[in-house]
Amino acid sequence: MTPRLVDVALPVPLFRAFTYAVPDTLRHAVTAGSRVVVPFHNRQMIGVVLGESDGANLGGVVPKAIADAPDEQPAFRGDLLAVGRWMADYYVSPVGLVLRAALPAAMGRARRADPAVRTQRVLRLAQPLDSLLQRDAVFKRAPQQRALFELLESLGGQSPVAHLVERLGCTEGVVQGLVKRGLAVVAAEPVDRDPFLARAAPPPAAVTPTAAQGAAVAALRAGAPGSTFLLHGITGSGKTLVYLEFLKHVLHDRGQSAIVLVPEIALTPQTVDRFRAVFGDLVAVLHSGLSDGERYDAWRALQRGDKRIAIGARSAVFAPVERLGAIIVDEEHEATYKQGEAPRYHAREVAIVRAREAGAVVVLGSATPSLESWTNAQSGKYTLLSLPDRVGGGSLPGVRVVDLRTETGPGAPVMVQALRRILSAPLETALHDRLARGEQSLLLLNRRGFANFVTCPEGHVVACPNCAISLTYHRAPERLVCHYCQHAEPLAATCAECGAEQMRQRGVGTQQVERLLNERFPSARVARMDVDTTSGKWAHAEILDRVGRGEVDILLGTQMIAKGLDFPNVTLVGVIDADVGINLPDFRASERTFQLLSQVAGRAGRGPKGGEVLIQTRTPGHHAVTCAVAHDYLRFVSEELPARADPPYPPALRLANVVISGLDERGVAACAQSAADWIAMRLNALSGAVTLIGPAPCPVERIKGRWRWHLVLKATRAAPLTQVMRAFLTKFDLPSAHDLRVTLDRDPVALL
Ligand code: ADP
Ligand code: ZN
């Protein structure tokens, strides 16, 4: 008899599957989507079964046998396996690497039980006793065993031993009795630990949806399986309530499950709290700070159906929920949904594909939708839902622009001018008013550190030795730091280039603003939130909780403070410098700036006291600024879309960025040129369906010691682009220099 063969995806950088024989002992455990342990080049590896095989891959070689299949249920059900295959194809990434990226790290290791996972003893029913007569007979002289048996039944047939013993006040002996009679078995199970459970979930506020919210919920309930909705709601319009009401229907009326994606979970504890307040223990929070063991626990709880809502950042799109009914993508425009390393997927796009596979409905929510999603809603690919007003008749805050070119007070003493470049007179007065009234303020500066860079009078800038980027000056501890590679060095007294002595700091960072605030408002309680103050696992939530409790007067921070916060006592939002990022050499620079300004402005005036926004800028006429001032998303779209059509960039077409990097500058340039020549030859055959730009040095020419060149592919349709990318990655011969590396980024969020 010929052995049964299956194709297995292994986490190796090869575009192929591997064929293994299924030993008879594992025949039930091995099915499409199961994890298997297989021998591969003298070691054991974890792979995923893709499906049955006809042995065509073997080429006459005798197949090796699968060593183990550790899971009771396949790790990848049908919809997830299909998503993995789609990702492998679309992002041109080996399917084994894609599938491994979709699993919790603890499940990618070739070991039966992960030692990082604490286990507990659980009791499981082994045999049903259907009739009452049978039951009476079996438990005639064992009433305690009967009570245990029936409690276990009522708990779904499985429960921790400790819990049962406590509930019944019985001894372990009763448990052993049931086991001895073959009615139940004791097994070891991972313990669930969810650190978010330590946060007290506030009771759900009794709110009635507004007419607009109600209409949106009704549309979602009527949504066809696999369809996508774009929920465009201005800040404070109550998008979260729409999600909650729709999910109540999905969970309670339809008995389905859901996934909720948020840009960064540490930044959105309030949003998570609101879901937990409504759905309690059904929620699994997939936090990036979870240990491998904790993540594994949550994953298992979702797979078992003990948890039915997975909330998390982009990788939560792979959560193994059963009977998926809905996927919410909150703040769908956020760049954090794009994974920065291979496979470079966009969680929003993966969500849409997964929903199609599972027959679920996708809700993309934002006050400032990405131009891609907006265009898809205009073309009818997505259904547009709008929440045009703030709830409770609240209005959007008034926005004032402070033109820093005229506000810095020419003719004023130099010290005053320097101060006014950071804190203009109107902003200082506005802060004063808030402090006097006991109200809170948010201040945004999207640049951390003390000073952006250090320069000598000749204009020599202190740069990173490993990256083509200037070093940022930090205080406490005092040093120069590279934000790309973390290289740090002491601040030198003289210029390394010319020996000049007067080294000057340029460009203000959050540390400097903090010091200035402390000087100007000595009694104010100032909190700073940026990468440097939030390295602890719960640092974000702690700072935000302090703001919520009214223990902070001024919250100063980078873009971290722009998202999702809902503090009614915040009546002032100040933007220290709106121009940070506006001139980056990237096609999305304007869109990013508009989104950031709109989002942070939306944090003001969410309570009955109202609020105002002050934006300091040197480019008050830029449409990213003027449209944010007017809270006018539609006008922004109408001004930005033409700019993205000529020369064409997304959403006018699709992009792929091919980056070639290496240690030798000339070698990289030469390789980029031959790659471009290679691709150009293939493009002729495609008669213009794909065009090639470059090669050229990347905007950041060197990172971590590696020189970087890139080529950009543009196409209006997806298929020819996939074809070219695939041919290039599988057929182009990299020069033998081993340090050369090619990365491919489809639908890049930035071209840096
Ligand atoms: P968004 O996410 O659109 O910015 P939120 O969902 O945070 O808005 O809602 C803003 C505020 O309005 C929240 O405090 C929320 O509890 C409240 N809210 C939302 N919908 C209603 C409603 N129908 N009635 C009363 N309050 C509401
Ligand atoms: Zn560096």
Side-chain angles (χ1 to χ4, degrees):
M1 198 180 94
T2 50
R4 179 180 156 210
L5 300 176
V6 288
D7 278 335
V8 174
L10 291 175
V12 293
L14 296 171
F15 289 89
R16 53 162 295 196
F18 299 84
T19 304
Y20 287 88
V22 184
D24 210 38
T25 48
L26 294 176
R27 68 179 182 279
H28 295 304
V30 171
T31 138
S34 354
R35 288 190 311 152
V36 287
V37 181
V38 296
F40 186 74
H41 289 302
N42 295 325
R43 59 192 186 103
Q44 301 230 301
M45 224 181 225
I46 287 259
V48 176
V49 176
L50 293 173
E52 304 297 316
S53 167
D54 58 5
N57 270 340
L58 282 167
V61 178
V62 179
K64 291 191 183 136
I66 291 173
D68 196 7
D71 302 328
E72 276 171 32
Q73 298 177 8
F76 291 91
R77 297 302 182 86
D79 62 326
L80 264 181
L81 199 56
V83 164
R85 284 179 180 277
W86 174 83
M87 284 174 65
D89 181 62
Y90 185 78
Y91 295 106
V92 196
S93 196
V95 67
L97 293 177
V98 168
L99 294 178
R100 189 186 55 183
L103 276 180
M107 296 183 73
R109 298 188 202 113
R111 238 181 273 134
R112 186 172 259 276
D114 178 22
V117 179
R118 274 197 303 136
T119 58
Q120 62 182 354
R121 291 164 64 233
V122 298
L123 191 65
R124 229 181 257 158
L125 280 189
Q127 193 187 314
L129 292 173
D130 287 332
S131 78
L132 193 61
L133 278 178
Q134 215 183 352
R135 222 167 260 224
D136 284 343
V138 169
F139 292 120
K140 198 157 182 191
R141 276 184 301 272
Q144 282 196 303
Q145 283 185 18
R146 179 175 188 153
L148 178 61
F149 186 91
E150 288 179 351
L151 175 61
L152 202 50
E153 264 184 334
S154 73
L155 293 172
Q158 175 169 325
S159 182
V161 172
H163 175 67
L164 295 167
V165 168
E166 198 205 350
R167 275 277 296 263
L168 286 178
C170 67
T171 62
E172 276 267 345
V174 182
V175 175
Q176 295 311 327
L178 266 195
V179 171
K180 246 188 233 139
R181 298 170 74 176
L183 293 169
V185 292
V186 174
E189 273 269 340
V191 183
D192 292 339
R193 287 151 290 156
D194 184 342
F196 254 83
L197 295 181
R199 288 176 63 85
V207 286
T208 324
T210 62
Q213 286 171 326
V217 174
L220 293 174
R221 289 172 62 149
S227 56
T228 301
F229 289 83
L230 177 61
L231 178 62
H232 175 221
I234 62 168
T235 54
S237 61
K239 292 184 285 294
T240 311
L241 190 74
V242 172
Y243 307 150
L244 289 169
E245 291 296 318
F246 176 48
L247 291 195
K248 276 189 204 166
H249 172 70
V250 168
L251 265 79
H252 300 153
D253 301 345
R254 296 190 194 157
Q256 295 176 318
S257 306
I259 294 173
V260 179
L261 301 182
V262 294
E264 242 178 291
I265 207 148
L267 300 182
T268 46
Q270 285 185 314
T271 307
V272 175
D273 287 348
R274 286 171 71 183
F275 280 89
R276 286 202 39 240
V278 173
F279 297 105
D281 282 350
L282 290 178
V283 176
V285 184
L286 304 174
H287 187 280
S288 63
L290 293 182
S291 68
D292 284 358
E294 287 166 336
R295 185 166 282 266
Y296 174 77
D297 290 349
W299 205 84
R300 289 291 312 268
L302 287 163
Q303 200 181 38
R304 287 195 304 261
D306 295 350
K307 308 269 183 194
R308 283 166 57 205
I309 297 186
I311 300 189
R314 61 173 176 267
S315 65
V317 74
F318 305 117
V321 299
E322 290 289 294
R323 293 168 47 74
L324 182 64
I327 306 182
I328 311 289
V329 185
D330 192 25
E331 310 289 2
E332 65 86 31
H333 62 277
E334 285 285 343
T336 51
Y337 284 124
K338 187 81 197 291
Q339 163 118 326
E341 53 201 55
R344 295 179 166 73
Y345 66 89
H346 199 301
R348 177 184 65 215
E349 308 309 316
V350 176
I352 290 167
V353 172
R354 181 155 184 204
R356 209 162 58 209
E357 292 295 334
V361 167
V362 182
V363 188
L364 310 177
S366 178
T368 53
S370 62
L371 292 188
E372 282 88 342
S373 294
W374 182 257
T375 308
N376 282 331
Q378 292 304 306
S379 74
K381 207 167 148 190
Y382 304 164
T383 307
L384 181 65
L385 304 173
S386 294
L387 301 178
D389 303 306
R390 279 195 156 179
V391 279
S395 55
L396 284 166
V399 184
R400 266 196 288 161
V401 171
V402 178
D403 187 342
L404 285 179
R405 293 169 307 182
T406 52
E407 280 290 334
T408 46
V414 174
M415 288 299 286
V416 175
Q417 283 191 38
L419 162 72
R420 292 294 171 226
R421 273 198 289 273
I422 304 173
L423 207 56
S424 64
L427 182 54
E428 184 165 347
T429 307
L431 284 167
H432 253 301
D433 292 349
R434 286 348 183 259
L435 289 168
R437 292 205 296 261
E439 296 169 3
Q440 293 170 301
S441 306
L442 294 189
L443 286 182
L444 170 80
L445 175 59
N446 204 16
R447 197 154 59 196
R448 66 193 173 95
F450 192 88
N452 199 24
F453 59 93
V454 174
T455 173
C456 77
E458 298 296 312
H460 297 131
V461 173
V462 186
C464 176
N466 313 316
C467 309
I469 210 86
S470 56
L471 293 176
T472 304
Y473 174 58
H474 283 245
R475 286 255 178 107
E478 181 174 59
R479 61 211 166 119
L480 295 169
V481 180
C482 173
H483 287 180
Y484 278 78
C485 73
Q486 315 313 324
H487 163 87
E489 61 184 58
L491 180 64
T494 56
C495 176
E497 299 267 331
C498 66
E501 285 186 347
Q502 283 176 311
M503 299 303 283
R504 291 203 180 127
Q505 300 159 10
R506 289 272 182 265
V508 180
T510 46
Q511 289 182 345
Q512 195 167 164
V513 177
E514 182 183 27
R515 197 187 63 172
L516 194 66
L517 291 172
N518 290 334
E519 283 169 12
R520 307 297 288 184
F521 308 106
S523 62
R525 296 164 300 175
V526 177
R528 194 181 97 223
M529 189 153 122
D530 57 31
V531 167
D532 300 307
T533 62
T534 51
S535 53
K537 192 162 163 180
W538 299 107
H540 302 87
E542 275 161 24
I543 296 174
L544 296 178
D545 287 349
R546 270 166 56 212
V547 178
R549 289 195 303 266
E551 295 164 17
V552 170
D553 299 313
I554 303 174
L555 175 64
L556 158 73
T558 54
Q559 34 135 24
M560 285 182 182
I561 65 165
K563 305 178 196 191
L565 305 185
D566 185 29
F567 295 119
N569 198 36
V570 169
T571 59
L572 172 68
V573 165
V575 178
I576 301 287
D577 183 354
D579 311 334
V580 174
I582 216 168
N583 290 317
L584 284 180
D586 191 83
F587 68 95
R588 269 186 238 271
S590 299
E591 186 180 357
R592 285 272 166 67
T593 302
F594 171 76
Q595 286 164 346
L596 182 60
L597 295 178
S598 304
Q599 296 286 341
V600 75
R603 303 307 120 207
R606 293 170 80 94
K609 294 175 195 156
E612 72 164 337
V613 180
L614 257 87
I615 296 181
Q616 303 188 147
T617 175
R618 284 184 181 75
T619 58
H622 193 291
H623 67 292
V625 176
T626 56
C627 296
V629 167
H631 301 293
D632 198 340
Y633 174 76
L634 293 180
R635 199 175 98 215
F636 177 76
V637 171
S638 71
E639 297 196 13
E640 180 68 6
L641 275 180
R644 300 264 278 266
D646 185 24
Y649 277 104
L653 43 58
R654 297 157 176 275
L655 288 188
N657 192 24
V658 181
V659 175
I660 293 168
S661 68
L663 299 173
D664 171 43
E665 185 177 9
R666 295 236 301 276
V668 171
C671 177
Q673 188 58 57
S674 58
D677 295 343
W678 193 97
I679 290 175
M681 280 211 337
R682 264 94 197 151
L683 292 189
N684 291 336
L686 289 169
S687 48
V690 180
T691 52
L692 170 70
I693 317 287
C698 293
V700 182
E701 271 182 67
R702 197 160 69 113
I703 296 180
K704 297 183 189 175
R706 301 182 69 82
W707 295 92
R708 308 165 72 241
W709 278 61
H710 69 156
L711 328 162
V712 177
L713 298 169
K714 294 185 170 187
T716 45
R717 287 184 307 119
L721 192 53
T722 308
Q723 196 186 327
V724 174
M725 286 166 54
R726 193 173 179 89
F728 177 68
L729 276 197
T730 54
K731 304 214 177 85
F732 174 70
D733 272 329
L734 262 190
S736 53
H738 65 275
D739 61 276
L740 283 173
R741 222 180 277 156
V742 174
T743 62
L744 196 150
D745 188 2
R746 186 161 197 173
D747 304 332
V749 292
L751 290 176
L752 300 174

